[in-house]
């Protein structure tokens, strides 16, 4: 996520490849701040070592409930649940600081995306 500040997000989830976590980044635009969601994979044995980190956001405010509310333009990760048998991740996120919303993805698809679209600073 270019020109942003990284902040907290959901707690990490242990995977065979490392600790998967979601975080939010803040971008300043001519219309104000935009809070988007990114993902990172940390080393399993040394979580201070970032293996992969999304270059751009994986989720950004687009729907009306994300762009209009108490704080507009927010898709802020709050919690994530990984279902090991199905490989599905449920991401709970704040939308415009007004609603709680859900997003879903598959662990293997997210890890593939993360590896192909990664930047480590």
């Amino acid at each position: 996520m270019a020109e942003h500040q990284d902040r907290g997000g959901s707690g990490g989830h242990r995977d065979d490849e490392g600790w998967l976590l979601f975080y939010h980044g803040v971008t300043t635009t001519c219309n104000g701040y935009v809070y988007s969601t990114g993902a990172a994979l940390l080393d399993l044995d040394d979580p201070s070592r970032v293996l992969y980190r999304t270059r751009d956001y994986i989720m950004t405010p687009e729907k009306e409930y994300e762009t209009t509310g108490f704080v507009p333009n927010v898709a802020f990760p709050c919690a994530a649940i990984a279902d090991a048998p199905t490989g599905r991740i449920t991401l709970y996120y704040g939308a415009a600081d007004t609603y709680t919303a859900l997003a879903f993805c598959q662990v293997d698809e997210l890890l593939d995306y993360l590896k192909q679209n990664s930047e480590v600073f």
Side-chain angles (χ1 to χ4, degrees):
M1 293 191 284
E3 299 179 27
H4 70 283
Q5 296 178 9
D6 292 333
R7 301 287 186 224
S10 69
H13 295 278
R14 186 185 175 114
D15 183 79
D16 291 340
E17 297 192 45
W19 292 97
L20 179 61
L21 62 91
F22 298 94
Y23 63 91
H24 82 277
V26 181
T27 304
T28 304
T29 71
C30 61
N31 292 322
Y33 297 119
V34 177
Y35 296 80
S36 301
T37 299
L41 186 68
L42 309 180
D43 185 82
L44 195 57
D45 297 318
D46 180 7
S48 68
R49 191 169 149 247
V50 178
L51 302 176
Y52 300 99
R53 179 178 153 207
T54 49
R55 184 177 309 109
D56 296 310
Y57 55 79
I58 58 170
M59 191 168 64
T60 195
E62 295 176 336
K63 301 291 186 184
E64 185 176 349
Y65 59 86
E66 299 166 337
T67 60
T68 305
F70 184 68
V71 178
N73 299 316
V74 172
F76 182 100
C78 299
I81 299 173
D83 182 39
T86 64
R88 184 171 91 162
I89 294 175
T90 303
L91 178 64
Y92 293 80
Y93 70 98
D97 279 15
T98 303
Y99 305 101
T100 300
L102 297 173
F104 303 94
C105 65
Q106 292 297 125
V107 173
D108 56 346
E109 291 175 4
L110 180 60
L111 288 174
D112 287 345
Y113 179 86
L114 188 55
K115 291 173 185 177
Q116 293 173 22
N117 298 280
S118 182
E119 188 171 86
V120 176
F121 301 96

